[in-house]
């Protein structure tokens, strides 16, 4: 059986989940009964997500402690990761000599139709980000390239990107986030606020959607 590769030679690298990793059987976990038959497996259990998020929060505290930062949360898929990451940063800040004055701003990006990424990317909530001038920025969520170009125009002091998931996509030129939770195979995943046509956001674990699930919720 394939194993999860837990290499972490550099903090920017996430926990590597190999392409031949079969995932965990759904029978080992609790999940909403209305998704029965819609999922292939659990690829990252909720508890593992929480532990990894705490580690990322500690890394961010170590790098950015005492800076005034703005967290840009990319909706909708990034909201759960952002909320959990911010909570852990706040908890660490309360019990540390280093504190991070922090604000959270929400931006919505939409780039998927069914399970296919499209070139038609819409940004909502980013029209006026003048309050970012001189601040440190931690962006969370997916589809960051276009947003980063937009944010740079407002001259923040620094920009850091935190991403829970990075997919291995052949010939991809996308930049790697500064803080990565997991590096995963190029498969469509749902759960933990990641959706397929607005379904599966109520799933705590990150799972691989089944072909029957794609057909069931296709628009």
């Amino acid at each position: 059986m394939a194993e999860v590769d837990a290499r972490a030679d550099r903090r920017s690298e996430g926990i590597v989940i190999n392409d031949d990793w079969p995932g965990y059987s759904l029978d080992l976990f609790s999940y909403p009964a209305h998704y029965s038959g819609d999922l292939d497996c659990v690829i990252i259990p909720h508890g593992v997500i929480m532990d990894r998020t705490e580690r990322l929060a500690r890394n961010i505290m170590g790098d950015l402690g005492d800076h005034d930062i703005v967290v840009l949360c990319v909706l909708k898929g990034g909201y759960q990761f952002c909320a959990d990451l911010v909570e852990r940063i706040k908890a660490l800040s309360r019990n540390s000599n280093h504190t991070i004055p922090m604000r959270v701003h929400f931006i919505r990006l939409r780039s998927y139709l069914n399970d296919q990424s499209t070139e038609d990317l819409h940004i909502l909530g980013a029209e006026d980000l003048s309050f970012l001038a001189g601040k440190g920025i931690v962006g969370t969520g997916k589809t960051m390239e276009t947003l980063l170009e937009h944010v740079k125009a407002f001259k923040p002091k620094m920009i850091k990107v935190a991403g829970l998931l990075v997919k291995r996509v052949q010939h991809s030129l996308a930049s790697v986030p500064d803080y990565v939770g997991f590096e995963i195979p190029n498969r469509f995943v749902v759960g933990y606020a990641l959706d397929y046509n607005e379904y599966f956001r109520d799933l705590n674990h990150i799972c691989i959607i089944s072909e029957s699930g794609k057909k069931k919720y296709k628009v």
Side-chain angles (χ1 to χ4, degrees), residues 137-178:
I137 309 300
V138 177
T140 67
K142 59 182 181 178
T143 321
M144 295 296 297
E145 294 292 332
T146 301
L147 178 59
L148 285 175
E149 290 302 314
H150 185 76
V151 168
K152 288 175 183 177
F154 295 93
K155 302 186 186 314
K157 184 176 181 180
M158 70 176 75
I159 301 174
K160 298 289 185 180
V161 178
L164 180 64
L165 304 177
V166 171
K167 288 185 180 181
R168 286 188 298 276
V169 179
Q170 192 173 18
H171 307 308
S172 173
L173 299 178
S175 59
V176 177
D178 302 283

Side-chain angles (χ1 to χ4, degrees), residues 83-209:
D84 290 333
L85 182 64
V86 166
E87 281 301 311
R88 276 148 185 78
I89 292 174
K90 287 164 58 178
L92 292 169
S93 186
R94 288 194 299 267
N95 298 285
S96 171
N97 293 328
H98 295 284
T99 61
I100 298 184
M102 182 170 49
R103 289 186 287 167
V104 180
H105 186 75
F106 297 94
I107 290 174
R108 184 174 180 184
L109 303 181
R110 184 172 178 85
S111 62
Y112 273 89
L113 178 63
N114 296 318
D115 61 342
Q116 300 298 313
S117 181
T118 71
E119 296 181 359
D120 188 15
L121 180 64
H122 300 280
I123 305 177
L124 301 175
E127 294 82 3
D128 182 10
L129 298 177
S130 57
F131 61 88
L132 299 180
K135 300 293 193 299
I137 309 300
V138 177
T140 67
K142 59 182 181 178
T143 321
M144 295 296 297
E145 294 292 332
T146 301
L147 178 59
L148 285 175
E149 290 302 314
H150 185 76
V151 168
K152 288 175 183 177
F154 295 93
K155 302 186 186 314
K157 184 176 181 180
M158 70 176 75
I159 301 174
K160 298 289 185 180
V161 178
L164 180 64
L165 304 177
V166 171
K167 288 185 180 181
R168 286 188 298 276
V169 179
Q170 192 173 18
H171 307 308
S172 173
L173 299 178
S175 59
V176 177
D178 302 283
Y179 307 98
V180 178
F182 303 88
E183 180 186 307
I184 65 172
N186 186 21
R187 300 182 66 183
F188 199 88
V189 296
V190 294
Y192 194 64
L194 301 173
D195 75 301
Y196 180 81
N197 293 329
E198 299 301 327
Y199 292 93
F200 301 101
R201 295 194 193 276
D202 54 340
L203 182 63
N204 284 337
H205 313 295
I206 295 178
C207 301
I208 294 178
I209 187 173

Side-chain angles (χ1 to χ4, degrees), residues 38 114 196-197 209-219:
D38 301 333
N114 296 318
Y196 180 81
N197 293 329
I209 187 173
S210 66
E211 289 303 316
S212 60
K214 291 180 183 179
K215 292 178 182 177
K216 181 178 178 180
Y217 300 109
K218 187 176 181 178
V219 295

Side-chain angles (χ1 to χ4, degrees), residues 43-59:
I43 190 169
I44 310 175
H46 184 258
V48 178
I49 298 170
M50 293 297 95
D51 285 352
R52 182 61 181 152
T53 300
E54 182 173 350
R55 178 70 264 179
L56 295 181
R58 290 181 180 275
N59 291 347

